[in-house]
């Protein structure tokens, strides 16, 4: 079993920045693909970003590309999501997720999830 805990959400004005962090338990953190997803009220869960085991492969959704940056620190068992130039459409609960295997963007293929952290962007 892998425990996943997100932190760093909050309220920010449009144009501002937030940094989300995710800690995942387990001695095999360096073997996990890590992903960020988000879900706004009344909408389906959507992919945000994901990073491969080594950090050498990264993928972003078109809606956040150029504004968000995902990174990982295998020594600290953490993955971060730096979010810049936020806009109200980024308002959602953000989830960190873990899987073993290839880098994918489909949320149903991730095995372990955090409880989510709320990000609210005011206009």
């Amino acid at each position: 079993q892998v425990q996943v805990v997100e932190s760093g959400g909050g309220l920010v004005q449009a144009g501002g920045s937030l940094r989300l962090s995710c800690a995942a338990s387990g001695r095999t953190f360096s073997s996990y693909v890590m992903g960020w997803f988000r879900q706004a009220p009344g909408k389906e869960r959507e992919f945000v970003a994901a990073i491969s085991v080594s950090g050498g492969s990264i993928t972003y959704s078109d809606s956040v590309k150029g504004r968000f940056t995902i990174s990982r620190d295998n020594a600290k068992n953490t993955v971060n999501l730096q979010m810049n130039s936020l806009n109200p459409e980024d308002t959602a609960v953000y989830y960190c997720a873990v899987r073993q295997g290839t880098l994918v963007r489909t949320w149903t293929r991730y095995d372990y999830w955090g409880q989510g952290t709320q990000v609210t962007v005011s206009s």
Side-chain angles (χ1 to χ4, degrees):
Q1 190 75 9
V2 177
Q3 291 187 329
V4 183
V5 180
E6 305 98 336
S7 61
L11 174 64
V12 64
Q13 288 188 332
S17 298
L18 280 175
R19 184 178 178 88
L20 305 183
S21 293
C22 171
S25 65
R27 290 178 289 179
T28 58
F29 176 85
S30 59
S31 69
Y32 302 151
V33 169
M34 303 297 296
W36 285 99
F37 297 79
R38 66 187 183 186
Q39 188 165 18
K43 295 188 177 181
E44 294 187 353
R45 188 166 300 190
E46 67 170 345
F47 170 77
V48 174
I51 188 166
S52 66
V53 167
S54 68
S57 292
I58 290 173
T59 182
Y60 297 99
S61 69
D62 289 344
S63 62
V64 307
K65 192 177 298 182
R67 300 188 298 123
F68 291 11
T69 302
I70 189 172
S71 61
R72 68 187 295 159
D73 185 338
N74 287 343
K76 296 182 179 179
N77 286 13
T78 58
V79 62
N80 299 306
L81 186 69
Q82 177 66 42
M83 306 186 296
N84 298 329
S85 301
L86 286 161
N87 59 63
E89 290 69 39
D90 295 315
T91 295
V93 177
Y94 283 71
Y95 297 92
C96 179
V98 177
R99 75 182 303 270
Q100 289 187 301
T102 57
L103 184 66
V104 298
R105 299 157 64 105
T106 308
W107 72 268
T108 56
R109 298 181 67 181
Y110 283 74
D111 302 308
Y112 301 100
W113 292 81
Q115 80 288 350
T117 186
Q118 178 70 46
V119 171
T120 303
V121 184
S122 62
S123 57

